[in-house]
Amino acid sequence: MWSLALAWENLWGSSEEFLRRLGPRYVANVYRVVATLTSAAQLSKRKHALQREVSAMQLVAVALTLVPYEHGAYVHSAGIQAFALGVMLVAATGHCGAQALYCAFTNALAHVAWTVRRDAWPMNAMTMYEYQIRCMMAGVVVGTSDLYRRAKLWYIELMAAQDAAERENAARLDEKKTE
């Protein structure tokens, strides 16, 4: 007999077995490949400059996950992904789901790197989550300013099109008056 609880138990058990057999290194490599492919694809097709920059930042963040743990580059990788999530939350809300997933995976990789080294978080001034929240808030500020810039350009284009239509209507009215 089928039940949701039994299906969840089977799914969770099989995923746990999958992770136990393949290990976290395989999962990290799958994340790296997926994030690299999607970021490279988005880098070439996005029409807004900020989205292309976020895709380039994601590629840098994935590259930083390849640096050995001893160098502490995972800190900056997690910060870059949090910054990109902040930008996407404001500037391109349709893409923030995937970005949140990338941020969560990068956060997990940072946590694994932190526990593998068995020492303190490499930034003395703040904790891991404080750092990521600050990076995310910086991304929100950058995304908001880009959103304002795009809205202002859209408004200018709208007013220019409206002025052209008004001039055309005024010319037609002048023609009718002279007849």
Side-chain angles (χ1 to χ4, degrees), residues 2 7 23 27 41 47 55 59 65 70 100 108 110 129-130 133 145 148 162 164 173:
W2 186 88
V27 175
K47 59 183 175 181
S55 296
L59 290 173
T65 63
E70 298 84 37
Y129 298 110
E130 287 173 338
I133 287 172
S145 67
Y148 174 74
Q162 185 177 355
L173 287 175

Side-chain angles (χ1 to χ4, degrees), residues 136-152:
M136 188 181 301
M137 289 300 113
V140 166
V141 168
V142 170
T144 303
S145 67
D146 183 68
L147 189 63
Y148 174 74
R149 181 190 57 81
R150 285 190 287 153
K152 191 168 81 172

